[in-house]
Amino acid sequence: MSISNNSFAAIVAIFSLILLSSMQCHAQLSSTFYDRTCPNAINTIRTSVRQAVSRERRMAASLIRLHFHDCFVQGCDASILLDETPTIVSEKTALPNLGSVRGYGIIEDAKRELEKTCPGVVSCADILAVAARDASTLVGGPSWTVKLGRRDSTTASHTLAETDLPGPFDPLTRLISGFANKGLSTRDMVALSGSHSIGQAQCFLFRDRIYSNESDIDAGFASTRRRQCPQEDQNGNLAPLDLVTPNQLDNNYFKNLRQRKGLLQSDQVLLSGGSTDDIVLEYSNSPRAFASDFAAAMVRMGDISPLTGSNGIIRTVCGAIN
């Protein structure tokens, strides 16, 4: 039986679409990814995170931030964990990370335990994603279903870490565009900013704001912050991002903004007469709306450019290429 050129081309096209669809489905992340290959993976990670947060509540904020700083630089691929080598310029030494990003050892601890029972199976990128979720729940924040199946990069990008991560002095337009470039909405950006309900910031990051005498900061709040942050020196002095409930992931961050008590300029700019005002007001009035949107935004952030299928590797040690 003969087949015309047009019919043959149509058959090839259909077969290609079926194959592509199959590949895409195979490459999709799934919450059940390790159910057969490493059924205790989630519990193992949770144990490491619980122990770390019980020793230091601040570590919860650090682990959420670690996942965030990973995903915003070439996707959620654990590139932030790679140490400096002759061929890798580590993201750890980029200005947004240097001296402030923490929790590397917690991820390595979890990986070490996983390698004992499931060697070469669970990626460091997935450990970061699960650890962020567990950190949230341990400080009263929402939970969410973590999709799994990411693989680890063999490269890092110090350059992108310098340019793609949002900064504490960014204006609203830059925050919105920076998140949009990663496929995240303005609402996602505001919800994720609510992670500043926990954690601390270094003096040099908010010094200009508390000494500015501008109308967008409460005078009493600024005065209180100046006690531990002089105009010169002591750059590394820490202050909680939320004075009221510093160890609880809740909507108090947004209530602070209504009182002009955002510690960082990039916090207070969310309620400054711009397009995000209504979202801030909504979250300040509704803990449920914030929790729901924060969880959904964390899931979407975890979907940023993952390596799946045959791309990337599963590192044996998170800080190094196998």
Side-chain angles (χ1 to χ4, degrees):
M1 186 176 78
S2 63
I3 301 176
S4 70
N5 289 339
N6 288 342
S7 298
F8 181 78
I11 292 171
V12 170
I14 292 169
F15 178 79
S16 298
L17 286 172
I18 294 172
L19 179 61
L20 178 60
S21 175
S22 173
M23 289 173 62
Q24 287 174 335
C25 290
H26 176 73
Q28 284 179 347
L29 302 180
S30 166
S31 61
T32 61
F33 190 82
Y34 297 116
D35 281 7
R36 292 185 178 181
T37 55
C38 193
N40 289 320
I42 302 302
N43 288 334
T44 300
I45 298 168
R46 183 179 294 121
T47 297
S48 293
V49 174
R50 184 187 297 117
Q51 291 172 347
V53 174
S54 67
R55 290 192 300 267
E56 182 192 12
R57 294 279 286 185
R58 181 190 170 204
M59 187 53 70
S62 298
L63 290 171
I64 293 172
R65 185 168 182 248
L66 187 58
H67 180 42
F68 172 74
H69 279 225
D70 178 45
C71 290
F72 262 57
V73 179
Q74 68 180 34
C76 305
D77 60 359
S79 60
I80 194 172
L81 303 179
L82 288 172
D83 292 322
E84 195 91 7
T85 72
T87 58
I88 293 175
V89 183
S90 177
E91 293 170 20
K92 294 181 180 181
T93 57
L95 285 178
N97 298 330
L98 184 63
S100 65
V101 170
R102 310 163 68 240
Y104 302 114
I106 311 306
I107 304 302
E108 288 288 7
D109 289 345
K111 178 62 172 174
R112 193 177 303 112
E113 291 303 311
L114 288 166
E115 286 298 302
K116 293 177 183 177
T117 54
C118 312
V121 173
V122 181
S123 70
C124 301
D126 277 345
I127 297 173
L128 283 168
V130 174
R133 187 272 311 276
D134 292 344
S136 171
T137 61
L138 287 167
V139 290
S143 183
W144 56 89
T145 300
V146 179
K147 292 187 283 186
L148 303 165
R150 301 169 191 81
R151 289 167 65 84
D152 301 323
S153 70
T154 56
T155 63
S157 180
H158 184 281
T159 300
L160 289 179
E162 296 270 8
T163 60
D164 284 18
L165 289 165
F169 312 109
D170 284 354
L172 183 59
T173 52
R174 183 166 180 176
L175 291 172
I176 291 172
S177 64
F179 278 73
N181 289 340
K182 303 300 178 183
L184 298 172
S185 69
T186 298
R187 193 173 184 89
D188 290 332
M189 183 271 288
V190 178
L192 291 171
S193 296
S195 63
H196 283 185
S197 172
I198 54 175
Q200 302 183 60
Q202 297 181 70
C203 170
F204 77 97
L205 296 175
F206 58 86
R207 176 183 283 125
D208 287 349
R209 174 162 162 74
I210 62 174
Y211 286 99
S212 67
N213 294 314
E214 296 289 343
S215 61
D216 67 346
I217 186 167
D218 177 82
F221 173 74
S223 178
T224 299
R225 292 307 199 193
R226 289 171 189 162
R227 295 172 193 166
Q228 297 297 321
C229 184
Q231 283 188 287
E232 296 180 2
D233 301 324
Q234 300 185 47
N235 285 343
N237 282 8
L238 294 171
L241 288 157
D242 174 10
L243 265 176
V244 183
T245 56
N247 294 312
Q248 191 82 5
L249 181 50
D250 55 24
N251 72 325
N252 204 73
Y253 166 83
F254 300 101
K255 296 178 182 179
N256 291 338
L257 299 185
R258 295 186 71 168
Q259 299 172 31
R260 297 178 296 128
K261 294 180 179 179
L263 184 60
L264 302 177
Q265 187 61 40
S266 58
D267 292 327
Q268 195 60 53
V269 76
L270 300 180
L271 187 63
S272 58
S275 61
T276 54
D277 283 13
D278 287 346
I279 306 172
V280 170
L281 296 177
E282 179 186 351
Y283 290 162
S284 71
N285 290 322
S286 175
R288 181 175 296 181
F290 164 60
S292 176
D293 283 1
F294 180 80
M298 288 294 291
V299 172
R300 281 190 283 273
M301 187 183 77
D303 284 342
I304 299 175
S305 304
L307 298 171
T308 57
S310 60
N311 295 316
I313 62 172
I314 303 298
R315 295 184 208 144
T316 303
V317 176
C318 290
I321 305 301
N322 301 345

